[in-house]
Amino acid sequence: MTFFDILDILGTIAFAISGALSAMNRRLDLFGVFIIAFVTAIGGGTIRDILIGNTPVSWMQNTLNIYLIGGATALSITFRNKLNYLKTSLFLFDTIGLGIFTIIGVETGIHSGLEPIVSVALGAMTGCFGGVIRDILCNEIPVIFRKEIYATASIAGGVCFMIMHSLDIHQNITYTVTTLCIILIRLLVVKYQVTLPMFSVKNQTTK
């Protein structure tokens, strides 16, 4: 098993827990919790694989992911009362999943021979779109569309990955630094409440 495979497993577990916690916050039943955990963990990767023509998509070829998601869901439900601060736990696991899945998406783009900017975009989709599907199903505005810096952190990490890759830095070091970079950006912007500007159109009344 390679370091890349280990990251894929950790990312799947982190996003599955994130989805399960979000579903429990919405008081969904057992089936609902599993489905939200499932789509959070595989949503971004599924869209990525469809875009690059990698079908059947990865989770259909590697059923280990299904068992990992099921196990992560069961653990989340079992220890839900130990997670006293569900919102904090949700943020932490979501951030870890974002960091890991972003580099998996960028790496997939590179192996597919795509241009750097497309690989970075593919990384952002892989990291963010599972959370988008989760939020939509939980009847929330996706975090990627809110003022919170989320996709921007993923894109920054993707650029970091491409730079380190072009400098031929050891693969495992690139994976680790990029993941930590995304996680650190997310933690700092939330701690110091750094946000992107928001825009609105003033309502105009007709006379």
Side-chain angles (χ1 to χ4, degrees), residues 3-13 62 65 68 100-101 104:
F3 188 58
F4 185 82
D5 294 329
I6 294 173
L7 286 179
D8 191 17
I9 290 172
L10 292 176
T12 299
I13 293 172
N62 181 13
N65 287 331
L68 288 173
I100 294 175
F101 272 30
I104 291 175

Side-chain angles (χ1 to χ4, degrees), residues 6 16 29 31 48 55 65-66 71 80 99 103 125 135 165 167 171 195 199 204-205:
I6 294 173
D29 63 16
F31 181 73
R48 175 201 66 217
T55 54
N65 287 331
I66 299 176
R80 65 189 183 280
I103 67 169
M125 290 179 187
D135 292 343
H165 177 76
L167 295 175
Q171 197 174 52
T195 63
F199 303 95
Q204 295 182 350
T205 58

Side-chain angles (χ1 to χ4, degrees), residues 76-139:
S76 299
I77 294 173
T78 302
F79 296 104
R80 65 189 183 280
N81 293 327
K82 301 292 184 182
L83 299 171
N84 294 324
Y85 304 100
L86 286 180
K87 188 173 182 180
T88 301
S89 300
L90 173 58
F91 169 79
L92 177 61
F93 286 109
D94 191 49
T95 299
I96 294 172
L98 175 67
I100 294 175
F101 272 30
T102 294
I103 67 169
I104 291 175
V106 176
E107 178 84 342
T108 301
I110 293 173
H111 285 167
S112 299
L114 302 176
E115 292 292 325
I117 189 171
V118 179
S119 296
V120 172
L122 205 62
M125 290 179 187
T126 306
C128 298
F129 276 38
V132 170
I133 298 171
R134 174 200 65 207
D135 292 343
I136 290 173
L137 291 178
C138 289
N139 199 29

Side-chain angles (χ1 to χ4, degrees), residues 6-92:
I6 294 173
L7 286 179
D8 191 17
I9 290 172
L10 292 176
T12 299
I13 293 172
F15 261 153
I17 294 174
S18 165
L21 292 175
S22 183
M24 283 187 284
N25 281 338
R26 286 288 180 176
R27 302 180 65 83
L28 301 186
D29 63 16
L30 177 61
F31 181 73
V33 172
F34 174 75
I35 291 299
I36 298 300
F38 187 79
V39 298
T40 305
I42 60 90
T46 298
I47 294 174
R48 175 201 66 217
D49 289 344
I50 291 173
L51 287 175
I52 64 176
N54 180 28
T55 54
V57 295
S58 57
W59 64 268
M60 291 182 177
Q61 299 182 50
N62 181 13
T63 54
L64 173 63
N65 287 331
I66 299 176
Y67 297 117
L68 288 173
I69 295 169
T73 302
L75 287 174
S76 299
I77 294 173
T78 302
F79 296 104
R80 65 189 183 280
N81 293 327
K82 301 292 184 182
L83 299 171
N84 294 324
Y85 304 100
L86 286 180
K87 188 173 182 180
T88 301
S89 300
L90 173 58
F91 169 79
L92 177 61

Side-chain angles (χ1 to χ4, degrees), residues 171-197:
Q171 197 174 52
N172 291 351
I173 296 176
T174 301
Y175 291 158
T176 304
V177 171
T178 303
T179 303
L180 292 177
C181 173
I182 296 171
I183 293 173
L184 184 61
I185 290 174
R186 280 282 288 153
L187 293 175
L188 289 176
V189 297
V190 170
K191 179 178 180 179
Y192 294 105
Q193 298 182 341
V194 180
T195 63
L196 294 175

